[in-house]
Amino acid sequence: NNWYLTLPCGFTGNGWYVYIETSFPRKPNDTATLISPSIPGTTASKGKCLSFWYHMYGADINTLIVYVRTGVHDTKLWSKQGTHADKWLHAMVTVNSRTHFQVRS
């Protein structure tokens, strides 16, 4: 699965992506984890916008899950499973946290 992370909302076309091969030599249940730096919380009622692009295509695609980590607790924020179109897809999710948090996938 490939994904690309930007904060705050908006897409500039600049950035990087991370790639994990899902076919051989991967084995069932292999995983890759990304963890962001600490992000300040907000007291704004709108929260913060997490905007990212992902590409999940092929017979061996499993699941992409995005969590918010506060302290040692992870809360599922977003997920997709299985193959999707052979193109980059955009997702935006609101993160509400009054304390510092990390985004983890």
Side-chain angles (χ1 to χ4, degrees):
N1 303 350
N2 305 321
W3 71 293
Y4 158 141
L5 171 67
T6 59
L7 281 170
C9 278
F11 179 64
T12 64
N14 297 317
W16 301 268
Y17 70 90
V18 175
Y19 170 80
I20 181 172
E21 180 59 53
T22 58
S23 58
F24 184 83
R26 295 281 66 85
K27 295 180 181 85
N29 300 315
D30 276 356
T31 61
T33 301
L34 298 173
I35 301 176
S36 75
S38 182
I39 301 166
T42 180
T43 56
S45 60
K46 294 182 193 176
K48 291 192 176 188
C49 180
L50 170 65
S51 172
F52 62 96
W53 293 82
Y54 63 98
H55 187 279
M56 297 173 67
Y57 181 76
D60 298 313
I61 298 298
N62 193 344
T63 305
L64 174 60
I65 304 173
V66 177
Y67 299 92
V68 170
R69 174 173 282 180
T70 52
V72 296
H73 296 77
D74 289 342
T75 303
K76 187 191 312 187
L77 189 61
W78 180 95
S79 69
K80 284 286 180 183
Q81 186 170 9
T83 189
H84 294 271
D86 187 9
K87 63 182 180 179
W88 287 92
L89 301 170
H90 187 223
M92 290 192 305
V93 185
T94 301
V95 179
N96 288 303
S97 179
R98 294 182 183 269
T99 62
H100 280 68
F101 65 92
Q102 292 175 291
V103 176
R104 184 178 80 77
S105 139

